[in-house]
Amino acid sequence: MDFVLSKIALSVGTRAESIQAPVAYEIPKEVVTEAIVNAVAHRDYTDNSSVQVMLFADRLEVMNSGRLQPPLTVEKLRVAHPSLPGNPLLAESMYLLRYIERMGTGTVDMIRRCVDAGLAEPEFDANGGFVTRIERGGAGPDGAPLSGSTQETTQERILALLREDPGLTRSALATRIGITADGVKYHLDKLRNAGRIRHVGATKKGHWEILNDG
């Protein structure tokens, strides 16, 4: 948690309403905490892999080897749901130590806090372990954006490159922009889901079409 908070943008407001100046991270501190605590509490401790916390220019990713306990699904994490921890004794201990505020509400609270900060809702992926993705660039105490809207800049750079060469592959885009191929896939999926691009033809020999250049 300290590592992430030391690397992301921090805005300090004015003392207009209090003797203590308000501060705001580009990703709310509570969201960072919840993502990491969830990974530690719910990972599969029979697996040799570790919890991975990866901070990119446009997002934070927290990965662990845990699995959702049936009948929980990724979709159900976005609404109020029962607490079904894979490691109940560990989850209870973290709750009693106040790392967890209320069991079963963490992901819903993360979504609310991200939206309040002007961020997109966190993404949860339960394929091959569990991944939480949180975009960077929230608003400060004065409502001004933090981190310079990095995500928008990255996606606009991808669109600009595709206008010049629609046949660029993910690896080629990654090299041009300076991010990982997985990072390029993340942004391509965002652009595709937003209806701005589509891929035509075979995976390696096809090309991209820009559908909405606005």
Side-chain angles (χ1 to χ4, degrees), residues 55-214:
L55 188 64
F56 299 94
D58 59 338
R59 70 194 188 280
L60 170 68
E61 290 192 2
V62 182
M63 306 173 61
N64 74 90
S65 57
R67 301 288 191 277
L68 290 177
Q69 301 298 306
L72 284 182
T73 63
V74 168
E75 290 73 24
K76 290 181 179 179
L77 294 179
R78 312 195 77 83
V79 297
H81 58 274
S83 176
L84 298 170
N87 306 301
L89 293 178
L90 180 56
E92 177 70 12
S93 298
M94 299 186 82
Y95 171 73
L96 294 174
L97 289 169
R98 299 184 180 180
Y99 283 108
I100 301 173
E101 291 186 2
R102 288 176 295 167
M103 291 189 180
T105 63
T107 52
V108 176
D109 186 59
M110 289 172 64
I111 292 171
R112 177 184 61 81
R113 289 182 183 277
C114 283
V115 172
D116 289 347
L119 299 174
E121 294 184 1
E123 294 184 359
F124 307 112
D125 187 341
N127 295 318
F130 191 84
V131 183
T132 300
R133 296 187 184 92
I134 306 161
E135 77 169 27
R136 297 179 62 175
D142 58 356
L146 295 168
S147 82
S149 301
T150 306
Q151 175 162 341
E152 180 181 359
T153 301
T154 302
Q155 291 180 5
E156 291 303 326
R157 291 177 66 189
I158 289 174
L159 288 172
L161 289 169
L162 293 180
R163 290 187 197 102
E164 298 175 1
D165 185 355
L168 287 173
T169 63
R170 282 191 306 185
S171 59
L173 286 168
T175 300
R176 299 278 191 92
I177 298 173
I179 62 177
T180 65
D182 284 342
V184 170
K185 181 181 183 300
Y186 170 83
H187 288 291
L188 288 174
D189 288 344
K190 285 284 189 182
L191 290 167
R192 185 157 37 192
N193 292 336
R196 300 192 68 182
I197 61 173
R198 70 176 177 183
H199 193 267
V200 179
T203 302
K204 293 185 178 180
K205 297 183 179 180
H207 66 277
W208 293 95
E209 287 185 356
I210 298 178
L211 304 176
N212 180 357
D213 214 2

